[in-house]
């Protein structure tokens, strides 16, 4: 078996793309999207018709409504290619507004359900701010499952688990980027700081019995992926999926619930004050969270400009 086939024995593989052809090629169970991936996809000739149709179907309506229709259109197409779930992201500009995030999550789920898709097949992606986590807590109680994104720290992970979030997406590659920029060193393998962060979160969840799924995300190389074999899920870009498919060397399971049980990690009782202080103490997490929100906002604005030009 190639490495991709081997990895699927230990971990649920998710495609991190808005490209339907890539999803079809690598047969993942789930797929994730974000504003940057959607923006990238609609600039391709083969997907521009989805943007044009969304604009046409929402004639006379707001640009916000057009974007929602576009997100759902991509989600529906992706769901035709996979057996599992699609993640659809809320507007990053709502990251510090609990009520607006809840309203947007409800709206997106209602649109999927109107199209005949059950809410069990959709994850609403929300930034892992304190306000976003509170929104997820409300949505989860309504049976709307959430994927907590832009997650860089154990404090964020604990708060998400205590809120009952379905899934978290810790960003391995962006953590690696920060340490590489600060130290000038490239750290590979088990010592990679992004890998270590996800291992710690996974261990904490399994040791203390949290049901929230851990999905490593934002990978820079296959080494990071293979070091997390055994994690609940891993969302991987098409280029790295191809590298795994092209390699036949043997991989081994690196994470397991059994190993986590013997960890010496201590339980943390999270509240808003502890969350904000611990996040503030973690320069990497603070900077990358803010940077990630800004980047997604920028790409959403670019998408709005494309839509405005077509209206």
């Amino acid at each position: 078996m190639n490495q991709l086939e081997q990895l699927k024995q230990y971990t649920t593989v998710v495609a991190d793309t808005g490209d339907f052809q890539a999803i079809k090629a690598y047969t993942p169970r789930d797929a994730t999207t974000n504003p940057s991936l959607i923006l990238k996809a609609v600039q391709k000739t083969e997907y521009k018709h989805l943007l044009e149709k969304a604009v046409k179907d929402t004639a006379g309506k707001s640009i916000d409504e057009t974007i929602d229709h576009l997100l759902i259109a991509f989600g529906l197409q992706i769901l035709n290619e996979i057996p599992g779930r699609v993640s659809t992201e809320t507007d990053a500009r709502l990251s510090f507004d609990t009520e607006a995030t809840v309203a947007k999550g409800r709206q997106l789920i209602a649109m999927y359900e109107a199209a005949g898709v059950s809410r069990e097949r959709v994850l609403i992606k929300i930034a892992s701010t304190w306000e976003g986590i509170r929104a997820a807590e409300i949505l989860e109680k309504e049976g709307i499952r959430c994927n907590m994104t832009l997650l860089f720290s154990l404090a964020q992970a604990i708060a998400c688990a205590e809120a009952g979030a379905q899934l978290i997406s810790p960003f391995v590659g962006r953590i690696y980027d920060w340490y590489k920029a600060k130290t000038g060193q490239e750290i590979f393998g088990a010592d990679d700081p992004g890998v270590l962060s996800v291992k710690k979160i996974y261990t904490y969840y399994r040791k203390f019995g949290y049901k929230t799924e851990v999905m490593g995300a934002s990978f820079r190389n296959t080494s990071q992926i293979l070091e997390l074999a055994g994690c609940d899920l891993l969302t991987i870009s098409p280029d790295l999926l191809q590298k795994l498919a092209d390699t036949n060397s043997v991989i081994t399971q690196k994470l397991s619930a059994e190993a986590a049980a013997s960890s010496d990690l201590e339980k943390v009782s999270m509240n808003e004050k502890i969350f904000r202080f611990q996040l503030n103490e973690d320069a990497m997490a603070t900077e990358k969270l803010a940077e990630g929100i800004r980047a997604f906002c920028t790409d959403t604005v670019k998408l709005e400009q494309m839509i405005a030009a077509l209206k």
Side-chain angles (χ1 to χ4, degrees), residues 94-103 106 126-142 144 146 148 155-165 270-276:
L94 306 179
S95 295
F96 303 100
D97 188 332
T98 297
E99 290 182 1
T101 300
V102 169
R106 289 170 177 161
I126 300 171
S128 299
T129 57
W130 182 259
E131 294 80 6
I133 294 166
R134 299 282 66 78
E137 186 173 37
I138 294 167
L139 292 170
E140 288 283 356
K141 289 175 181 175
E142 299 175 7
I144 298 173
C146 299
M148 306 309 295
Q156 289 173 291
I158 293 170
C160 289
E162 291 189 352
M270 189 59 63
N271 59 36
E272 183 176 358
K273 291 178 182 178
I274 294 172
F275 175 89
R276 293 195 186 281

Side-chain angles (χ1 to χ4, degrees), residues 204-215:
Y204 188 93
Y205 276 16
R206 297 295 86 85
K207 178 171 182 177
F208 297 113
Y210 289 109
K211 294 181 180 179
T212 299
E213 300 168 66
V214 181
M215 181 171 72

Side-chain angles (χ1 to χ4, degrees), residues 209-227:
Y210 289 109
K211 294 181 180 179
T212 299
E213 300 168 66
V214 181
M215 181 171 72
S218 161
F219 293 105
R220 299 292 178 258
N221 53 64
T222 57
S223 170
Q224 293 172 334
I225 296 167
L226 299 181
E227 286 296 333

Side-chain angles (χ1 to χ4, degrees), residues 2-4 26 220-222 225 236-248:
N2 62 46
Q3 288 189 330
L4 180 57
Y26 300 108
R220 299 292 178 258
N221 53 64
T222 57
I225 296 167
I236 306 169
S237 62
D239 61 322
L240 293 178
L241 287 170
Q242 186 60 52
K243 287 182 179 179
L244 291 169
D246 290 340
T247 307
N248 293 321

